[in-house]
Amino acid sequence: MNFALENSFEIGNKITKSSIVIMPIGAVEAHGPHLPLCTDTILAERLACRLAEKVAGFVLPAISYGQVWSLRDFPGSISISNETLIRLLVEIGTSLYKQGFRIWAMVNGHLGNQIALKEAARILYDQFPDFKIFYFFYPGMNKVVNEIRETETIHSVYFHACEIETSIMLYLAEEYVDMSRAICDIPNIDEEADVSPTPWKTFTQTAVLGDATKATKEKGKIIVETALNKMAYMLRRAQNEAI
Amino acid sequence: MNFALENSFEIGNKITKSSIVIMPIGAVEAHGPHLPLCTDTILAERLACRLAEKVAGFVLPAISYGQVWSLRDFPGSISISNETLIRLLVEIGTSLYKQGFRIWAMVNGHLGNQIALKEAARILYDQFPDFKIFYFFYPGMNKVVNEIRETETIHSVYFHACEIETSIMLYLAEEYVDMSRAICDIPNIDEEADVSPTPWKTFTQTAVLGDATKATKEKGKIIVETALNKMAYMLRRAQNEAI
Amino acid sequence: MNFALENSFEIGNKITKSSIVIMPIGAVEAHGPHLPLCTDTILAERLACRLAEKVAGFVLPAISYGQVWSLRDFPGSISISNETLIRLLVEIGTSLYKQGFRIWAMVNGHLGNQIALKEAARILYDQFPDFKIFYFFYPGMNKVVNEIRETETIHSVYFHACEIETSIMLYLAEEYVDMSRAICDIPNIDEEADVSPTPWKTFTQTAVLGDATKATKEKGKIIVETALNKMAYMLRRAQNEAI
Amino acid sequence: MNFALENSFEIGNKITKSSIVIMPIGAVEAHGPHLPLCTDTILAERLACRLAEKVAGFVLPAISYGQVWSLRDFPGSISISNETLIRLLVEIGTSLYKQGFRIWAMVNGHLGNQIALKEAARILYDQFPDFKIFYFFYPGMNKVVNEIRETETIHSVYFHACEIETSIMLYLAEEYVDMSRAICDIPNIDEEADVSPTPWKTFTQTAVLGDATKATKEKGKIIVETALNKMAYMLRRAQNEAI
Amino acid sequence: MNFALENSFEIGNKITKSSIVIMPIGAVEAHGPHLPLCTDTILAERLACRLAEKVAGFVLPAISYGQVWSLRDFPGSISISNETLIRLLVEIGTSLYKQGFRIWAMVNGHLGNQIALKEAARILYDQFPDFKIFYFFYPGMNKVVNEIRETETIHSVYFHACEIETSIMLYLAEEYVDMSRAICDIPNIDEEADVSPTPWKTFTQTAVLGDATKATKEKGKIIVETALNKMAYMLRRAQNEAI
Amino acid sequence: MNFALENSFEIGNKITKSSIVIMPIGAVEAHGPHLPLCTDTILAERLACRLAEKVAGFVLPAISYGQVWSLRDFPGSISISNETLIRLLVEIGTSLYKQGFRIWAMVNGHLGNQIALKEAARILYDQFPDFKIFYFFYPGMNKVVNEIRETETIHSVYFHACEIETSIMLYLAEEYVDMSRAICDIPNIDEEADVSPTPWKTFTQTAVLGDATKATKEKGKIIVETALNKMAYMLRRAQNEAI
């Protein structure tokens, strides 16, 4: 399952056109006082492993660095550009294709990466039309989140180190969460943030967008299992089409 | 010590001009029947952790993908270009500098990355003259290797999945070595390989360049401890100059 | 108001730090049988003029070519890459800044351009922190659309040549709409379209995403006036901050 | 004739290998007190429309921004780089080719664009040898200009907002010319301007290179009709060869 | 005078703000049966040396490879792109500036390079406004050529391996001319060649554009001495301004 | 033998798949008080000519500018980037391939170029698998140098303007060596120079790395003839394989 722990003598025979290869992508980014900088990478890795179990796929080593423009000024954040991330993904994807893979799932734990993932997938699609590529960011999440959240949503798209993300961490990686330090910090995000360059320091000092104290493992479970089922469903369908 | 497990509220105060930040860089690459594809990443990570202990430095998440031109045609290898690797490193380095770091050690486990690391370090040096950057690949190794090796060297620079690298793995990450599958395969590397593009499939079917069965933990220890002492010495010196 | 019709002898004195300059951006793209290929450009131009009236701003010549990846295979579509569009916008923005402008509103009529606009704005923000840039795509639209639409939404983000866009055209540029040819075509957009490269020909033959026959000028008015008010409000605020 | 006003359902059948598609390219650039900033775009658009009538071609939306290095420091000028303009043209050309066109005429109203147009045409020629591309800038003009001009030429290549260009505007777009403000300003252009980077502010404060008061509609007619005949002749020949 | 034959211990003191550094730029390109492939480089080198004598300047090693798009299909031609040539010149210019030079004359022997030289000079001008850069291609030539040529001109700009260029070679580098093989080949160059990509093989099989048999050393002398005087005049003026 | 002195009418027939084309590559770089700035270019040119005699190959014009990062701050040095040098070589190589060559030997006189040469050769290898490319830098030198040198080596890889390089110059180009000014300057190169960006001014004021006074023509002969034999052997073998 762990691709990188395979050896060269055996891996060749294991890769077929219906093989699924899964790559976690995260970030090093401020996540408040109760979550580590690598929260998004941990989430992506755990999701990728769970997904790999479901679909008998390979898991690749994570890309641990992401596009962190909005929070790059916060202590601990490390940011790379969309352009570089796109190049990196296109080259990895090209290698995977040459190795025989025809189904590649990028499991993303950091919203800021999503643009680069989509662009890289399109570039590869144009080069290799028979290469099925997914860029997953908690598919199906929106609907269930609306049902389970106790606090109001602050923004139509952003969620960060809050009730939601902390819940997911509690379910997937409880050992990295320090709930004793979880805080509630409800920023006022001006609508301008969606239409003009707006570093998050403009509206938050904590990088927590909501009430992290309301996080529970149960909420995390609902979100994660929903996303896993969606991802597994689409991957299995791609697998059936590949055969 | 693990940078990515720190949180944003505390990391800011911990970063000073004499702080050392260490990043492991490896590859996904064929390493024969007895070593995993991610051998170089494992080595870089273990070395980085040992080095961090010695100098009280931070360890960053590894870059797990490297430039694998020579072995890209072997099963399991994934290769990115020098150009992309350079961009990635320059951007990460720029973030580290902005976060306050002035000493950055890249600990590299894969020879093929070395050109990109050197170029990235030079580009950053031109932008930030007070940013001390190291690109380590087992410094001091050559001398001790000549003393401990039982088999003749096959090439003046290359060593791969052989007595040497397998020994290092036995010392640093024994749990990933399957010595029962170690082989001896001594290729004849024409001198042309140094002056003309030469994929390694030209001279080896195994990607093992020598006699892996001669590997021992003791040999690995000598190489690793030598390299660690060299690296720690240079980092401490940089630290003293930074204060 | 029309920047390009000004002459060089007078324009210099008219540009101050509180001047607002507005640029429409559209596309050449399939829009079904009842709307022209340049629908998005027409919309952007009309919106820009209306906005300019409200805030006494200058209107720049439109960029008539956009990123049309999803519909590029349809007859009449012309597509440029995100990368080129970003470069173009960054260079135009740099010229505007050098000419003395400090507030620039890009009024976008084509969703596919939005990623490039955002990236260009961020690049310029990093170069010129005192340059306030907006990338508008019908701000405030989502809420009112939900109230006025008669037909169910087909996708959480996409709308195209449908009840909504046709209504906007009826309000802003009725002379270019041929309602006698308007059709209802409700595609089934698989959720995979959001997580895997999916040219729209996969799910539509018409490029109409819904029931264009339900379009009315009144619906268009509500959307347009809402967006105009939002944009004018933000621009005036920026203007006040600039003085 | 207006490509962008066509709709997707019909345009496909109208494009054949002998179809001609014409794109105007201009600039936003200082043109003295009597001509608007967008003079070059207006000229290109009017020329393109006249040409389209002659050869029954399609007219594309104009590119309104050009390479304005020499006059970029004048009030109102907006400049993009050759590199970006080349990329933009290559991508538009690629789309036109994929849409079925085999004859593309760029009608340029701004001399500063000519280098980019030529380079883009060559790049596309190398990719699509059967794609006939023209980059027109008043072909045949030199000869007739020498016959009709009343004032001496100031430079072997440059003409700008002067007797010549103002005459063309009077013929093609009289409504944008304010002859009451036309001036005569005869700069002394050192020969160094041809062999060393020389912004025009070095030798003119008005951006008028000659005596605009001598402009007449009749002179403009001769130049324009000559150029139109040349262009139409070459396009028809290309059309005959394409059939 | 020969910069590259200087040594590092002495050159530093010799470079002042009024020093002139001259670089010849040529090409490897078909020049008919009587002239060598490196004709343009020889011409540039000889001109540069003569110019250096006149103004007491340094001569740099030649760039022997140029942009040869038009003749790249002829035997022996080697072509590089404008883009690469621009980068090369910008980097060399940057080094020259850092070494202390403020006046740089590129002496070009190949018309196809002129666009790259101009662009590189502009890029450097924007970075180093006090760096005076010239891109010379036989300045003042047009006028005298019209007076001395015996054969009609074939094209308003192009001259190649003909009466003119062969004359220049006879004057500057007679030893490389084989007049016994000189030919007369007068092609018909369609006006389309100026407005559409047109490799020269379209209109010539010899790459000789005219009557090379009419070449004389005397004609070459007039052209060369005219150009030398023009160049020397401008360089001396720049030198006076630099002091 | 001198490619550039051939003419276009004859060169075509002379190029066959077994033809060898040789290109010298040097640098403009500080070489102490006794050697000229263009030492590396002279060496490359002389070596290339000797090699061409041995294998009946063509010699191309030299590339006289190289990557001189380490010594760029010394008087007289001119440096270009790896990236630009790579582009230049790839484009020249592409032209050579199109001209019919299948064996290309780059003879390099400057160690700093070696990375770019290797990368360019790999890029071309991927495009033209049947194009045999060599990037020679004194092959076989290491062994004989150890036998003949009188002074201890200062660095495992670097040699510069020292006993070794001066000896080679004495053998190949004695007329450019001023032994009366040769010096002995033995720097202490810290091991950090191999793992951190280190301009050479850090450890030398002369750019001479050793005892140039110990140079002799005899030592140069041994090194040069060894390298020539190695190169000729490999080229002849490639030639045999090409037939």
Side-chain angles (χ1 to χ4, degrees), chain D residues 6 22 29 34 47 73 92-93 107 144 151 157 161 172 204 233:
Chain D
E6 298 281 333
I22 301 168
E29 185 186 42
H34 63 302
L47 273 171
D73 299 322
I92 291 172
V107 173
V144 293
T151 53
V157 175
L172 285 175
T204 177
Y233 171 77

Side-chain angles (χ1 to χ4, degrees), chain E residues 197-212:
Chain E
T198 309
W200 285 16
K201 66 180 174 187
T202 310
F203 51 75
T204 177
Q205 297 305 309
T206 64
V208 175
L209 300 192
D211 190 350

Side-chain angles (χ1 to χ4, degrees), chain B residues 87-171:
Chain B
R87 282 169 174 265
L88 180 62
L89 295 170
V90 168
E91 291 177 2
I92 291 172
T94 301
S95 270
L96 293 172
Y97 185 86
K98 289 183 180 169
Q99 288 288 343
F101 286 110
R102 293 295 175 270
I103 305 171
W104 181 28
M106 296 186 264
V107 173
N108 181 22
H110 172 61
L111 181 60
N113 293 336
Q114 203 65 3
I115 282 171
L117 270 56
K118 184 179 178 180
E119 183 83 4
R122 286 182 166 188
I123 291 169
L124 287 164
Y125 173 89
D126 289 346
Q127 292 180 341
F128 312 111
D130 63 335
F131 194 12
K132 190 79 189 174
I133 303 174
F134 295 92
Y135 39 94
F136 290 127
F137 183 68
Y138 303 106
M141 171 197 207
N142 287 352
K143 203 173 144 224
V144 295
V145 161
N146 286 336
E147 292 164 6
I148 61 179
R149 66 185 314 151
E150 292 180 73
T151 54
E152 283 216 15
T153 185
I154 289 166
H155 187 272
S156 64
V157 174
Y158 301 155
F159 65 100
H160 195 79
C162 58
E163 180 189 356
I164 303 306
E165 193 173 28
T166 308
S167 292
I168 303 175
M169 271 296 271
L170 284 172
Y171 180 59

Side-chain angles (χ1 to χ4, degrees), chain B residues 126 132-133 192 196 230, chain F residues 72 132-133 191-192 196:
Chain B
D126 289 346
K132 190 79 189 174
I133 303 174
E192 197 180 283
S196 188
K230 290 272 187 197
Chain F
R72 65 184 171 172
K132 190 78 188 174
I133 303 173
E191 61 194 341
E192 197 180 283
S196 188

Side-chain angles (χ1 to χ4, degrees), chain C:
Chain C
M1 306 291 271
N2 187 324
F3 183 82
L5 288 180
E6 299 281 333
N7 73 63
S8 185
F9 275 49
E10 291 166 1
I11 190 67
N13 289 329
K14 294 183 181 176
I15 302 174
T16 70
K17 290 204 172 180
S18 65
S19 296
I20 292 168
V21 63
I22 302 168
M23 186 168 74
I25 306 176
V28 177
E29 186 186 43
H31 273 80
H34 64 303
L35 293 176
L37 296 171
C38 59
T39 292
D40 295 342
T41 306
I42 293 172
L43 291 174
E45 286 178 325
R46 297 280 164 103
L47 273 169
C49 285
R50 286 289 316 280
L51 181 58
E53 285 165 20
K54 275 182 181 284
V55 300
F58 289 105
V59 177
L60 290 168
I63 294 181
S64 303
Y65 299 92
Q67 195 264 53
V68 184
W69 191 88
S70 299
L71 279 164
R72 64 184 172 173
D73 299 323
F74 278 65
S77 291
I78 297 175
S79 182
I80 64 172
S81 67
N82 277 330
E83 196 179 344
T84 295
L85 186 49
I86 292 166
R87 284 170 173 264
L88 180 63
L89 294 170
V90 168
E91 291 177 3
I92 291 173
T94 300
S95 268
L96 292 173
Y97 185 86
K98 289 183 179 169
Q99 287 289 343
F101 286 110
R102 292 298 175 268
I103 305 172
W104 181 29
M106 296 186 265
V107 173
N108 181 22
H110 172 61
L111 180 62
N113 293 337
Q114 203 64 3
I115 282 171
L117 270 55
K118 184 179 178 180
E119 183 83 3
R122 286 183 166 185
I123 291 169
L124 286 164
Y125 173 90
D126 290 346
Q127 291 180 343
F128 311 111
D130 63 336
F131 193 13
K132 190 77 188 174
I133 303 173
F134 295 91
Y135 38 95
F136 290 126
F137 183 69
Y138 303 105
M141 170 196 208
N142 286 352
K143 201 171 148 227
V144 294
V145 161
N146 286 336
E147 292 164 5
I148 61 179
R149 66 185 315 151
E150 293 180 73
T151 53
E152 284 217 12
T153 184
I154 289 165
H155 187 271
S156 64
V157 175
Y158 301 153
F159 67 99
H160 194 78
C162 58
E163 179 189 357
I164 303 305
E165 194 173 27
T166 308
S167 292
I168 303 175
M169 272 295 270
L170 284 173
Y171 180 60
L172 286 175
E174 193 173 10
E175 67 272 34
Y176 295 113
V177 187
D178 181 353
M179 282 304 288
S180 73
R181 303 190 64 191
I183 59 173
C184 171
D185 181 19
I186 298 177
N188 179 24
I189 305 181
D190 193 277
E191 61 193 340
E192 197 180 284
D194 292 331
V195 296
S196 188
T198 309
W200 286 15
K201 66 180 175 187
T202 310
F203 51 75
T204 176
Q205 297 305 308
T206 65
V208 176
L209 300 192
D211 189 350
T213 68
K214 291 285 193 301
T216 69
K217 194 183 280 197
E218 290 67 32
K219 293 174 187 167
K221 181 180 181 181
I222 293 169
I223 297 167
V224 166
E225 297 300 330
T226 299
L228 281 170
N229 285 335
K230 289 272 188 198
M231 294 190 282
Y233 171 76
M234 287 190 256
L235 287 175
R236 285 195 204 102
R237 189 169 57 180
Q239 210 168 25
N240 288 335
E241 287 165 5
I243 296 170

Side-chain angles (χ1 to χ4, degrees), chain E residues 3 15-16 19-23 58-61 88-106 124 128 131-133, chain F residues 28 65 72 76-79:
Chain E
F3 183 82
I15 301 174
T16 70
S19 296
I20 292 168
V21 63
I22 301 167
M23 185 168 75
F58 289 106
V59 176
L60 290 168
L88 180 63
L89 295 170
V90 168
E91 290 177 3
I92 291 173
T94 302
S95 269
L96 293 173
Y97 185 87
K98 289 184 180 169
Q99 288 288 342
F101 287 109
R102 292 298 174 269
I103 305 171
W104 181 28
M106 297 187 263
L124 287 164
F128 312 111
F131 193 13
K132 190 78 188 173
I133 304 174
Chain F
V28 177
Y65 299 92
R72 65 184 171 172
S77 291
I78 297 174
S79 183

Side-chain angles (χ1 to χ4, degrees), chain A:
Chain A
M1 307 293 269
N2 187 325
F3 183 83
L5 288 180
E6 299 282 331
N7 75 61
S8 184
F9 275 49
E10 291 166 1
I11 190 68
N13 290 329
K14 293 182 181 176
I15 301 173
T16 70
K17 290 203 173 182
S18 65
S19 296
I20 292 168
V21 63
I22 301 167
M23 187 168 75
I25 306 177
V28 177
E29 187 187 41
H31 272 80
H34 64 302
L35 293 176
L37 296 171
C38 59
T39 292
D40 294 343
T41 307
I42 292 172
L43 291 174
E45 286 179 325
R46 296 280 163 102
L47 273 170
C49 285
R50 287 289 315 280
L51 181 58
E53 285 165 19
K54 276 183 180 283
V55 300
F58 289 105
V59 176
L60 289 170
I63 294 181
S64 303
Y65 298 92
Q67 195 265 50
V68 184
W69 191 90
S70 299
L71 279 165
R72 64 185 172 172
D73 299 322
F74 278 66
S77 291
I78 297 174
S79 183
I80 63 173
S81 67
N82 276 331
E83 196 178 344
T84 296
L85 186 50
I86 291 166
R87 283 171 174 263
L88 181 63
L89 295 169
V90 168
E91 291 178 3
I92 291 172
T94 301
S95 269
L96 293 173
Y97 186 86
K98 288 184 180 169
Q99 288 288 344
F101 286 109
R102 293 297 176 268
I103 304 171
W104 181 29
M106 296 185 265
V107 173
N108 181 21
H110 172 61
L111 180 62
N113 293 336
Q114 203 64 2
I115 282 171
L117 269 57
K118 184 178 178 181
E119 183 83 2
R122 286 182 166 186
I123 292 169
L124 287 163
Y125 174 89
D126 289 346
Q127 291 180 342
F128 311 112
D130 63 335
F131 193 13
K132 189 79 187 173
I133 303 174
F134 295 92
Y135 38 93
F136 290 127
F137 183 69
Y138 302 107
M141 171 197 208
N142 287 352
K143 203 171 144 227
V144 295
V145 161
N146 286 336
E147 292 165 5
I148 60 178
R149 65 184 317 151
E150 293 179 73
T151 53
E152 284 218 12
T153 183
I154 289 167
H155 187 271
S156 65
V157 175
Y158 300 155
F159 66 99
H160 194 78
C162 57
E163 179 189 358
I164 303 305
E165 193 173 28
T166 307
S167 292
I168 304 175
M169 272 295 272
L170 283 174
Y171 180 59
L172 284 176
E174 192 173 8
E175 66 273 32
Y176 294 112
V177 187
D178 181 353
M179 281 304 286
S180 72
R181 303 190 64 191
I183 60 174
C184 173
D185 182 20
I186 298 177
N188 179 25
I189 305 180
D190 193 276
E191 60 194 339
E192 196 179 284
D194 292 331
V195 296
S196 188
T198 309
W200 285 16
K201 66 179 175 188
T202 310
F203 51 74
T204 177
Q205 298 305 309
T206 64
V208 176
L209 299 192
D211 190 350
T213 68
K214 290 287 192 299
T216 69
K217 193 182 282 196
E218 289 67 33
K219 293 174 188 168
K221 181 178 181 181
I222 293 169
I223 297 166
V224 166
E225 296 300 331
T226 299
L228 282 170
N229 284 335
K230 290 271 186 197
M231 294 191 282
Y233 170 77
M234 286 190 257
L235 287 175
R236 284 194 204 102
R237 188 169 58 179
Q239 210 168 25
N240 288 335
E241 287 166 4
I243 295 170

